[in-house]
Coordinates of all heavy atoms in Angstrom, one line a residue:
K253 N 0.8 -1.2 0.0 CA 0.0 0.0 0.0 C 0.9 1.3 0.0 O 1.8 1.4 0.7 CB -0.9 0.0 1.2 CG -2.1 -1.0 1.1 CD -3.0 -0.9 2.4 CE -4.1 -1.9 2.3 NZ -5.0 -1.8 3.5
G254 N 0.5 2.2 -0.9 CA 1.3 3.4 -1.0 C 2.4 3.3 -1.9 O 3.0 4.4 -2.3
R255 N 2.8 2.2 -2.4 CA 3.9 2.0 -3.3 C 3.4 1.4 -4.6 O 4.0 1.8 -5.7 CB 4.9 1.1 -2.7 CG 5.6 1.6 -1.4 CD 6.7 0.7 -1.0 NE 6.4 -0.7 -0.7 CZ 6.8 -1.7 -1.3 NH1 7.7 -1.6 -2.3 NH2 6.4 -2.9 -1.0
F256 N 2.5 0.5 -4.6 CA 2.0 -0.1 -5.8 C 0.6 0.4 -6.2 O -0.2 0.8 -5.3 CB 1.9 -1.6 -5.7 CG 3.2 -2.4 -5.5 CD1 4.4 -1.7 -5.3 CD2 3.2 -3.7 -5.5 CE1 5.6 -2.4 -5.2 CE2 4.4 -4.4 -5.4 CZ 5.6 -3.8 -5.2
T257 N 0.3 0.5 -7.5 CA -1.0 0.9 -8.0 C -1.5 -0.1 -9.0 O -0.8 -0.3 -10.0 CB -1.0 2.3 -8.5 OG1 -0.5 3.2 -7.5 CG2 -2.3 2.8 -9.0
I258 N -2.6 -0.6 -8.8 CA -3.2 -1.5 -9.9 C -4.2 -0.6 -10.7 O -4.9 0.2 -10.1 CB -3.9 -2.7 -9.3 CG1 -4.3 -3.7 -10.4 CG2 -5.1 -2.3 -8.4 CD1 -4.8 -5.0 -9.8
S259 N -4.2 -0.8 -12.0 CA -5.1 -0.1 -12.9 C -5.4 -1.0 -14.1 O -4.8 -2.1 -14.2 CB -4.5 1.2 -13.3 OG -3.3 1.0 -14.1
G260 N -6.3 -0.5 -14.9 CA -6.6 -1.2 -16.1 C -8.1 -1.1 -16.5 O -8.8 -0.3 -16.0
D261 N -8.4 -2.0 -17.4 CA -9.8 -2.0 -17.9 C -10.2 -3.5 -17.9 O -9.9 -4.3 -18.8 CB -9.9 -1.4 -19.3 CG -11.3 -1.3 -19.7 OD1 -12.2 -2.0 -19.3 OD2 -11.6 -0.4 -20.6
V262 N -10.9 -3.9 -16.9 CA -11.3 -5.3 -16.7 C -12.2 -5.7 -17.9 O -12.1 -6.9 -18.3 CB -11.9 -5.5 -15.3 CG1 -12.4 -7.0 -15.3 CG2 -10.9 -5.3 -14.2
A263 N -13.0 -4.8 -18.3 CA -13.9 -5.2 -19.4 C -13.2 -5.5 -20.7 O -13.6 -6.3 -21.5 CB -14.9 -4.0 -19.7
K264 N -12.0 -4.8 -20.8 CA -11.2 -5.1 -22.0 C -10.1 -6.2 -21.7 O -9.2 -6.4 -22.5 CB -10.5 -3.8 -22.5 CG -11.5 -2.8 -23.0 CD -10.8 -1.6 -23.5 CE -11.7 -0.6 -24.1 NZ -11.0 0.6 -24.6
K265 N -10.2 -6.7 -20.5 CA -9.3 -7.8 -20.0 C -7.9 -7.4 -20.0 O -7.0 -8.2 -20.4 CB -9.5 -9.0 -20.9 CG -11.0 -9.5 -21.0 CD -11.2 -10.7 -21.9 CE -12.6 -11.2 -21.9 NZ -13.6 -10.2 -22.4
M266 N -7.6 -6.2 -19.5 CA -6.2 -5.7 -19.4 C -6.0 -5.2 -18.0 O -6.9 -4.5 -17.4 CB -5.9 -4.6 -20.4 CG -6.0 -5.1 -21.8 SD -5.6 -3.8 -23.0 CE -6.9 -2.7 -22.8
V267 N -4.9 -5.4 -17.4 CA -4.6 -4.9 -16.1 C -3.1 -4.6 -16.0 O -2.3 -5.2 -16.6 CB -5.0 -5.9 -15.0 CG1 -4.2 -7.2 -15.0 CG2 -5.0 -5.3 -13.6
Y268 N -2.8 -3.6 -15.1 CA -1.4 -3.2 -15.0 C -1.1 -3.1 -13.5 O -2.0 -2.9 -12.7 CB -1.2 -1.8 -15.6 CG -1.7 -1.7 -17.1 CD1 -2.9 -1.3 -17.4 CD2 -0.8 -2.2 -18.1 CE1 -3.4 -1.3 -18.7 CE2 -1.3 -2.1 -19.4 CZ -2.6 -1.7 -19.7 OH -3.0 -1.6 -21.0
L269 N 0.2 -3.1 -13.2 CA 0.6 -2.9 -11.8 C 1.9 -2.0 -11.9 O 2.9 -2.4 -12.3 CB 1.0 -4.3 -11.1 CG 1.4 -4.1 -9.7 CD1 0.2 -3.7 -8.8 CD2 1.9 -5.5 -9.1
Q270 N 1.7 -0.8 -11.4 CA 2.8 0.1 -11.3 C 3.4 -0.1 -9.9 O 2.8 0.1 -8.9 CB 2.3 1.6 -11.4 CG 3.4 2.6 -11.3 CD 4.4 2.5 -12.4 OE1 4.1 2.4 -13.6 NE2 5.7 2.6 -12.1
M271 N 4.7 -0.4 -9.9 CA 5.4 -0.7 -8.7 C 6.5 0.4 -8.5 O 7.4 0.5 -9.3 CB 6.0 -2.1 -8.7 CG 5.0 -3.2 -9.0 SD 5.7 -4.8 -8.9 CE 6.8 -4.8 -10.3
N272 N 6.4 1.2 -7.4 CA 7.4 2.2 -7.1 C 8.0 1.9 -5.8 O 7.5 1.1 -5.0 CB 6.7 3.6 -7.0 CG 6.1 4.0 -8.3 OD1 6.6 3.7 -9.4 ND2 4.9 4.7 -8.3
A273 N 9.1 2.6 -5.5 CA 9.9 2.4 -4.3 C 10.1 0.9 -4.0 O 9.8 0.5 -2.8 CB 9.1 3.1 -3.2
L274 N 10.5 0.2 -4.9 CA 10.7 -1.2 -4.8 C 11.7 -1.6 -3.7 O 12.7 -0.9 -3.6 CB 11.1 -1.9 -6.1 CG 9.9 -2.0 -7.1 CD1 10.4 -2.3 -8.5 CD2 9.0 -3.2 -6.6
K275 N 11.5 -2.7 -3.0 CA 12.3 -3.1 -2.0 C 12.8 -4.6 -2.3 O 12.1 -5.3 -3.0 CB 11.6 -3.2 -0.6 CG 11.0 -1.8 -0.2 CD 10.2 -2.0 1.1 CE 9.5 -0.7 1.5 NZ 8.7 -0.9 2.7
P276 N 13.9 -5.0 -1.7 CA 14.4 -6.3 -2.0 C 13.3 -7.4 -1.6 O 13.3 -8.4 -2.3 CB 15.6 -6.5 -1.1 CG 16.2 -5.1 -1.1 CD 14.9 -4.2 -1.0
E277 N 12.5 -7.1 -0.6 CA 11.5 -8.1 -0.2 C 10.4 -8.2 -1.2 O 9.5 -9.1 -1.1 CB 11.0 -7.8 1.2 CG 10.6 -6.3 1.4 CD 11.6 -5.5 2.0 OE1 12.8 -5.6 1.6 OE2 11.3 -4.7 2.9
D278 N 10.4 -7.3 -2.2 CA 9.4 -7.4 -3.3 C 9.8 -8.5 -4.3 O 9.0 -8.8 -5.2 CB 9.2 -6.1 -4.0 CG 8.5 -5.0 -3.1 OD1 7.6 -5.4 -2.3 OD2 9.0 -3.9 -3.1
T279 N 11.0 -8.9 -4.2 CA 11.5 -9.9 -5.2 C 10.6 -11.2 -5.1 O 10.4 -11.8 -4.1 CB 12.9 -10.3 -4.9 OG1 13.8 -9.2 -5.0 CG2 13.4 -11.4 -5.8
A280 N 10.1 -11.6 -6.3 CA 9.2 -12.7 -6.4 C 8.8 -12.9 -7.9 O 9.1 -12.1 -8.7 CB 7.9 -12.4 -5.6

């Protein structure tokens, strides 16, 4: 929360994930 943002158009079957201020623990 506060670092990632999900967006997109579900009706068009598209989704995005903007990831900012990434940390090593985000590795996956």
